[in-house]
Every structure is written in structure tokens, then in C-alpha cells.
Amino acid sequence: MHKKILILSTLLILCTIPVQVGATWAPILKGGDENQQEFVRYAWSISQDVNWILTIARESGFSLGAISPLNSDGSRDRGIMQLNSRYHGAFISSPEFGDYKHQLLYGAEVYARSGGKAFNGYFKRWQVYNRFIWFSN
């Protein structure tokens, strides 16, 4: 009986080991569904910057279809990066916006240009640090 429990415990631990992307390990979003884990892995492949990952998590929880309540100027923040429709309306209206890879690549450009400060989540990013399992090789 104890042998079965040990084997099951080992299997459960192995199931939480992150998937390797390139030469790095991607963090795991605790409680994240399969799509969210894929979004995290792809975001990590763009940049292994912990602040980048935490900013996305704080912005949308890695939810592709996230839409904010109406902002005071009548705009809305949309998508995995919570891009503001006032400033990024052309991209939000484009067919590429429906693809998480395009959203993350576009968001990475905005993030890099602003040092992350274009995103409100950047300033509260450490609130979500414990939502991840962090590994490195």
C-alpha cells in the first residue's frame, strides 16, 4: 500500500515539472488551464523576464478574451495584454488580434518600448508572483 502511495506521489510531482522551451524552463501558472499554460510558455519564449510574465498575469491572468470595464475616456482594455482600444485600436480590430501569439508579440513590443510602464499590471506585478511555480535549469 505504501509503495502505491509513493508511486502516486512521485507521479503527481512529475506532473508539475515545467515544460522546457528552448534552453529555459517555462514557469507554471498554478490552476491555469491548458490554454493559459500555453500562453505562459509562449510568453516565456519571447522573454525570460519575470517582470514581463508577472505583468501579463496581473493584466489578464493570461486570459485571451479579457475585456476591462469601460475606462473613464470610453475606451476598453482588451486581450491577454489588456491593450487599450484608444491607443491600440487598429491592432485590436485586426484579424491578428484573435491569435494569442500575435497579441503577445505586439504586447512585447509595447512592453519593451515602455519598460513595462505602459501596463498598470506592471506596478502591481508582485501581487501575482505566488500564482506561479518557478524553475530554472
Side-chain angles (χ1 to χ4, degrees):
M1 181 66 170
H2 293 298
K3 198 175 210 179
K4 287 182 182 178
I5 291 173
L6 180 61
I7 290 170
L8 287 173
S9 298
T10 303
L11 287 173
L12 286 173
I13 291 169
L14 290 174
C15 289
T16 63
I17 293 175
V19 176
Q20 192 171 9
V21 178
T24 62
W25 293 99
I28 294 174
L29 180 60
K30 294 176 187 175
D33 65 27
E34 196 173 310
N35 288 330
Q36 289 171 310
Q37 300 301 355
E38 174 59 26
F39 301 160
V40 172
R41 286 190 296 269
Y42 189 73
W44 190 252
S45 76
I46 294 170
S47 174
Q48 292 78 47
D49 177 359
V50 171
N51 292 317
W52 154 248
I53 300 298
L54 294 176
T55 298
I56 301 167
R58 185 66 176 95
E59 286 291 331
S60 70
F62 281 91
S63 173
L64 185 62
I67 301 174
S68 75
L70 204 59
N71 294 318
S72 60
D73 65 358
S75 66
R76 288 194 188 273
D77 301 331
R78 298 178 180 273
I80 199 166
M81 295 299 304
Q82 288 294 276
L83 297 167
N84 185 283
S85 60
R86 181 176 177 194
Y87 302 105
H88 306 283
F91 175 67
I92 291 169
S93 299
S94 75
E96 289 81 15
F97 185 74
D99 178 16
Y100 76 93
K101 290 182 178 181
H102 283 100
Q103 281 194 35
L104 287 169
L105 287 169
Y106 184 93
E109 291 176 21
V110 175
Y111 184 90
R113 280 196 310 266
S114 70
K117 295 177 178 93
F119 299 96
N120 289 330
Y122 177 84
F123 300 100
K124 298 178 181 180
R125 64 195 180 280
W126 293 107
Q127 294 175 349
V128 296
Y129 183 85
N130 290 331
R131 292 187 190 168
F132 290 88
I133 300 171
W134 299 94
F135 285 91
S136 63
N137 55 350

